[in-house]
Amino acid sequence: MALDSTARNTTINSEGGDVSWYDNPFQNLEPITQNSIHPLDVVCAVLHCSDNFLQQEIISKMSMCQFAVPLILPPSHEQDCTFLLWALRGIVKRWRPQSLTESKGFIEDNLVNIKMPTFSFVRLGDCNISKSRILNQLLCQTQSYYDIFVNRDMLCENAEKTIADGLVEMSWFFPGSVNKSELFPEPAAIINLRGDLATHWRQFNFLTHVSSAVFIFTKYFSEKEYKLFLNCKNINTDYYFVIDSSDDIETKKIFVTLKELSKVLKVHVLKSNHRNIKELIRAMQHYVAKYLAKHEAQLSLQDLADVATKFGFQVDENSTECKKAKTHADSITNEIKNVFEYKKKTMPLQGVPWKEISKIEKELCRMKHQGSTNIDIYKRKLEKKCSELHRTQYECEIPHGIRNYMNSLMTLSVVEKCYLMGWMKFYLDGITRSNLSGLQAEYKEKCNELPANPSEINKLHDNISDSSLGVDHFLREVGQFYEAECAMVKEKHIQPNEKKFYRLPGLAADLLLNGFPLELIDGDASNIPLQWVTDVLTELNKKTAGRCRMRVITVLGVQSTGKSTLLNTMFGLQFPVASGRCTRGAFMTLIKIKENLQKELGCEFIMVIDTEGLNAPELASLEDSYEHDNELATLVIGLSDITIVNIAMENTSEMKDILQIVVHAFLRMKEVGRKSNCFLVHQNVSDVSAYLNNRINRNKLLNELNDMTRVAAKMEKIDAPMQFSDIMNYDPDKHSWYIPGLWHGVPPMAPINFGYSENIFKLKKYLINFMKKSQNSGPQDIDSFTEWMNSLWKAVKYETFIFSFRNSLVAEAYEQLSMKYSELEWNFRSQVYSSLTEQENIIKNQPQSRITCVTTEILEHKMPQLLDREEAYMKEQLKLFFDSSSSRMYVAERYRADFMGYVKCLRKNMEVIISSKCWEAVKIQSGKHEIHNMQETCLRLIEEKVGIYLKTHTRNARDMSNAELRKEFDLIWDKILQELQVGRLRKRRIDNEMLEQLKREMTNRGGSVKQTLHNVLTLKYYGQNEFKMEKTYINIPFWSAKNFQEFFTNGCYNKLASAAWLLEHQCQIYVTDRINTGEDYNEIYCQELLNIINQKLNQEEVRKLHPTASFEANLKLHILGTAAPQFQKMHDDFGLKNDPRLLINRLKPQYFDIFKNKLQEKDESNARAKDFCDQCLKPAITDHIYKNLGKDITHDILKDPADVRFNSQNQFHFRILKELLEMNTFENYAEYIKNYEIYVKRWISKYIITKYKTTSGLDVLITKIISSIAEKIQSALNDKNVQRSQNVSEFCKFFRQNLVKHLVISDNAMKVIIFQNTVDIHRLSSNITFHLKKCQEEIRSEMKQLGIESILACLSLKPQDELLKKVLGCGKKCPFCNAPCETRGDDHQEHFVSAHRPKGLAQYTFAEDNNLCTASCSTDIISNGAFRNPDTEGTWHPYREYRSVYPQWIILPEINPTYSLYWKFVLTQFNYDFANLFQANPADIPEEWLKITQRQALSSLQDTYYIK
């Protein structure tokens, strides 16, 4: 089956292994027993055990190897002699008779049809001459002898035949050379009877009736034989007796007997012995040539079969199934005379309608002929025409031939269908050959005419292309009927239950499972019937019960370089070879894998895709030929796991052409995430040293491939440097294979080259092992294959392939990747936030003298170590995720580098956050230094005075009542306050400070700005009202024409006003967050406001609006003017709260308790412990909760398995848009569109409030935090240093040290606890433990009373901000429709949106009538339209080349029209509202938009975001 010319070696390996007789000739002197089986016994046994289809395959392969093939099988124990007519129908021969020598023409036909004289060779009795060897010499040129017939000189032939006697073999001679050295001028058939003719008289008698001459080898001929031959007296054939006798007397007797026989028969005598074999052969050749010259008695194999039937031989084609299938095939094909006319009449659907539909489908994607027509109108026109064509196809009556074909597929059994396909192939190939030969002759005649007529020649070209007819054309037409019906259902012209052709995909799936190729790409129309192929494969999936995982292997190459032969040889397939047809397109065949290999390969099937017509010379004149080749290569490479590029070494220019196409295809696949494996097969390289000698050529070829890759990358508009190895897995040493030529000599009489099959077997073995090792790339199942096929083909049709590719598999993989990244990102952030909170606590617990050095240590050592660890962990987890075969991440391989880059960017962002937070803590603590000093002075004096009094009045005060003690204490307290010379805290003028900061920041601006700021004396007059935009804030460029200035100003004005409003909102949120901290105002707050403004104004989309310096100055004055009074109140409140006198009065009750207990000599342990919990721990724990609760809320929401909306951007966008659709109010849509970020943040806040308001979730989180910190407090109390403390002061010192990372305990409160505290440390510790439990309950109770809204306002880390970061993306918006970017990651270079909107929703209007625009950028980018805006500096720019203006934006063409239904529904519903909002005229809503329902809009959302 693998075209192995040594296949007839049937030696049985001995059990002794490799030890041969040559190693020890005296080892065994016993007679050698037979250790081989006769090759012909093997042939007969195999054919007897095979069904007719396998017999046909085996005999076809034997014929290719130039083996003689069985014609009549000897009888077996179950059946009589069998004439193998069906088995021989698979052989096609091509030859050049003498009559065509000058024209160098040739004839091609099926062997069964070829009429030629037949010459039979038989043996009578024993004979010393090897008949078979003489036949080999008779058929072979002197210089190219090979064993056509098995003979005694071959290995194994000496074994005795057991079942092969009576076998009738056949071989042929076909002339092929233009030289005179050719043996015979015309074809001749040679038949060889195995065994003695006397024993197999029936076979001999048959041969005498069909042969022009019979050559009889014998060494005796007596009276007995004479009588036997008299039975042939009525047969008109010539008998040549080859006498093999060295005995002259015996020879004379034979001559006498034969002379007598010559009176009855035509007898000729040839005498032979071993010394004159060459003369004998020359004589035989002479007689054969003489019969050929007469052109008499020419019979075909069909004629021979008819004669065989008369002799009682069983003919394999006479089975019931074969006859029935033949009858059906006749009914299908008997009308065919002229292929071109037949196809027009019987296959109308795949003709003009299908080709027109294909053109329209591509035009819908490319809009090349749109002209000045409005794109929506042009698109509707094309869709209408396409619908009409589908209707025309559907209404077409099913022609007689197609109806018969369908009925045959539906009614015949599996075996009968296999016969049917064989018969149809036989008939159709014959008809095609007949038609093509006439057209080719006419073409040659036209080309030789002077002057030549180009139009007639081109017409003949088209006719030649249209005159190929095969079984695939019938299946293609069936597919077209199915496609048309599906289109009718889709367009709702018929109901699904009215379908007539629903069974057809299942029938085609059966054919595919039975090994017949299925057309993937219709090469004539350069299109794929997507619905048909998808449904056939879906049926295949059902028939295999979902066990249809596949590895896909594709071969690409120039036409007629042996691609199909390579696949047929490698896998035993039946791709058409040398059938006389010029086929275009691609065909796929399934190979079932044996169970023992399925586990190793991880799949049940190998799908092999054979492509034809690449760079075909016959099709070079067709205008779409090169485009077709590119599309074909892109699709099949995209579908394949392994691509074999077949290269014929003798044509380097064609090789470069094909490689250029292949490189483009590989480059496109790399960009969409599929990095295929490539094998270059160099054919016709016969030298044994080819591999080593071609090392230089391999390197040279690799350099050329690198050059091609760079050129291709440039053409595909990819800026990154590229090499061939970057776009595909290719190892020059392991992936380059050198295959010798197929033929050993010159066809048609040349056998297969043994090196050809041997090297192909090695390649196959390597490919299998390669697939075993590369299981992590994952086999494809039917669903993923069809998804790739659909999306790849749609993307191919859009031409700008790389930037228009997206399918559900890639989207699903990207979504999984995004969710994994989201999970890891939050883990990273969470770890950093936890550590950052601890480090801020450490900073806040430091004395002023150490605060800077501690912070430096944190920023230079501790935090970098944490970031290194978390970054490494995140990258490792991403790598594991990519390499995991279960996650199917191989389809998103293109995103690996992007996401690894996002990790680095995340780390940098966290570094910035850490640094700013730490230094902010330092500045805040430093700002409190003055307050701390004043408070410390006061407390020192109080403790001193109270301490003196306690020492001197203890005895006298023992009997005093509480009222008397209170009175006494008040007198002491008032006296102390009189002695304290404490002034109030310095009150700052925040607005003046902020104004000065602004002036310093804008020192380097122009004179007008300086002058404006110089005249501003205070901020109190700014920010009182909304910021007022002025048209003078826009700098109209000098290049703008007068008629463009107004357009330019209005466009920029609206966008700049929107940017200013968003900045105001963003800054106000920052101000509110700072105020909620309860800290004092710090100048860094003003600086941060200025940073926020500068960052926004420096963004490219704002700079393109050309704002003036005056705009910047006035906006900053406005925002700072709004913030100043709020910061002033913040400062005043802080001063009030931290005023030393007020602070002292707040501590008075605690000091009184100490005073009273000391004087009354009560046990203070319990009271001091309660004060410790109330004054020290409770505020610190509350602060700890506010610092950690935000993180825990975020974590709780993200880890909720029932809701993934914040981990999945698709889910988030779907949920929020679905809610908008359900509310369906204009106000909500307007807010979402105009202020997307604000709307989303408000939506998230509402979600958090709703989630925790109605459940106990928040209390659970708070309790968890309290319990955790309580455990740490208890652990600190139990610390050995704390327990061993000598006094309370030491106790407090060690206690604080243990909790330095977790709690910030007030110094003042701690000093009160220490004051005059002489209680037992162990009792104090025990009492603190007791009161701590009560303290926890109090905190929980107070938190419950606050409510979720109040708590959210106090949190250090806002969960709504963290969740917003996860779903908001980069914040960039589509430059045309304002849809927000959905790409994941912090540092992505390309922006993407799943569904673009009608541009009217982004305030786009038509210039001529100010109507809102209904077109979307998804359709504009494939149209002939143009745009102009400030980004194009007022010049018109083609939409197709939008990336030259917006290189970071990828706008996908509208591959799925359902994606845009949602926003079309919105604009249709609120057309007039949006017109009023944007001060424009309502849009002209297309009629079909009015039919969009709310349900369809929701379904559109589900399709867009792949929600199942």
Side-chain angles (χ1 to χ4, degrees), residues 675-712:
K675 197 172 181 183
S676 190
N677 301 287
C678 179
F679 288 80
L680 297 183
V681 174
H682 305 263
Q683 292 219 38
N684 304 330
V685 184
S686 56
D687 191 352
V688 292
S689 61
Y691 184 83
L692 292 175
N693 288 345
N694 278 288
R695 183 179 293 279
I696 297 172
N697 290 335
R698 284 201 300 278
N699 292 334
K700 182 181 176 184
L701 177 61
L702 186 59
N703 289 333
E704 289 179 350
L705 289 169
N706 287 335
D707 291 339
M708 288 178 190
T709 305
R710 283 188 284 271
V711 172

Side-chain angles (χ1 to χ4, degrees), residues 20-87:
S20 70
W21 178 84
Y22 302 102
D23 297 325
N24 188 357
F26 304 104
Q27 182 180 8
N28 189 355
L29 297 179
E30 296 296 321
I32 299 173
T33 56
Q34 182 171 319
N35 70 335
S36 64
I37 304 172
H38 196 284
L40 294 178
D41 282 348
V42 175
V43 171
C44 291
V46 169
L47 291 175
H48 274 306
C49 295
S50 304
D51 64 14
N52 289 3
F53 306 105
L54 183 55
Q55 285 179 354
Q56 190 178 82
E57 273 298 299
I58 291 170
I59 286 177
S60 296
K61 303 293 186 186
M62 289 178 71
S63 173
M64 287 185 72
C65 292
Q66 291 299 347
F67 296 166
V69 300
L71 179 67
I72 299 175
L73 273 181
S76 67
H77 64 282
E78 290 182 351
Q79 57 188 25
D80 195 4
C81 293
T82 307
F83 187 94
L84 301 178
L85 181 61
W86 174 261

Side-chain angles (χ1 to χ4, degrees), residues 957-1180:
R958 283 178 187 170
D959 299 326
M960 293 174 68
S961 66
N962 288 341
E964 290 172 329
L965 286 174
R966 167 72 67 184
K967 188 176 180 181
E968 186 68 23
F969 181 76
D970 287 342
L971 292 172
I972 298 168
W973 192 260
D974 291 339
K975 189 177 180 182
I976 292 171
L977 289 181
Q978 288 173 8
E979 292 184 23
L980 279 173
Q981 297 298 318
V982 179
R984 290 191 172 275
L985 290 175
R986 180 176 61 88
K987 189 172 181 179
R988 299 157 61 187
R989 284 289 304 276
I990 305 299
D991 61 336
N992 288 348
E993 290 183 26
M994 292 175 74
L995 179 60
E996 289 304 312
Q997 213 167 333
L998 172 63
K999 289 180 177 180
R1000 285 197 304 273
E1001 197 243 5
M1002 299 194 73
T1003 303
N1004 298 325
R1005 302 304 159 90
S1008 60
V1009 172
K1010 275 187 178 181
Q1011 186 62 42
T1012 300
L1013 292 176
H1014 179 72
N1015 293 334
V1016 177
L1017 301 178
T1018 177
L1019 288 175
K1020 68 180 181 179
Y1021 301 115
Y1022 292 89
Q1024 304 300 312
N1025 302 304
E1026 289 185 5
F1027 180 70
K1028 188 177 180 182
M1029 275 292 295
E1030 296 179 11
K1031 292 197 174 180
T1032 55
Y1033 288 163
I1034 297 166
N1035 184 24
I1036 300 175
F1038 67 89
W1039 41 259
S1040 58
K1042 287 182 180 178
N1043 61 347
F1044 183 67
Q1045 287 184 5
E1046 184 178 351
F1047 164 79
F1048 177 87
T1049 305
N1050 289 337
C1052 292
Y1053 180 87
N1054 293 331
K1055 288 182 180 179
L1056 202 57
S1058 177
W1061 189 87
L1062 286 172
L1063 256 179
E1064 278 189 79
H1065 183 81
Q1066 188 178 353
C1067 290
Q1068 183 55 52
I1069 289 173
Y1070 175 79
V1071 171
T1072 304
D1073 287 344
R1074 294 307 95 198
I1075 291 170
N1076 287 335
T1077 62
E1079 300 288 354
D1080 193 7
Y1081 168 78
N1082 193 293
E1083 65 178 15
I1084 59 172
Y1085 299 160
C1086 178
Q1087 188 56 55
E1088 186 58 30
L1089 281 177
L1090 293 172
N1091 290 343
I1092 292 170
I1093 299 168
N1094 291 335
Q1095 189 177 354
K1096 181 70 176 177
L1097 296 183
N1098 286 329
Q1099 288 178 355
E1100 188 179 2
E1101 56 263 35
V1102 176
R1103 284 192 288 106
K1104 284 182 177 179
L1105 301 175
H1106 301 276
T1108 61
S1110 176
F1111 167 78
E1112 179 186 357
N1114 283 294
L1115 180 62
K1116 287 179 176 178
L1117 284 168
H1118 176 80
I1119 290 173
L1120 296 190
T1122 304
Q1126 298 178 74
F1127 282 143
Q1128 185 68 56
K1129 185 175 184 305
M1130 174 189 187
H1131 170 68
D1132 293 345
D1133 290 345
F1134 180 83
L1136 197 62
K1137 181 181 174 184
N1138 290 277
D1139 184 272
R1141 287 182 175 275
L1142 294 174
L1143 177 69
I1144 290 167
N1145 282 326
R1146 282 198 294 271
L1147 294 175
K1148 182 179 177 182
Q1150 291 173 257
Y1151 279 109
F1152 171 70
D1153 288 339
I1154 296 169
F1155 178 80
K1156 183 180 69 172
N1157 290 336
K1158 282 289 182 183
L1159 289 176
Q1160 293 177 349
E1161 297 182 347
K1162 289 182 179 178
D1163 181 9
E1164 293 185 277
S1165 177
N1166 188 58
R1168 293 290 184 126
K1170 186 177 185 305
D1171 285 346
F1172 184 83
C1173 288
D1174 291 343
Q1175 305 303 323
C1176 297
L1177 293 184
K1178 188 176 179 181

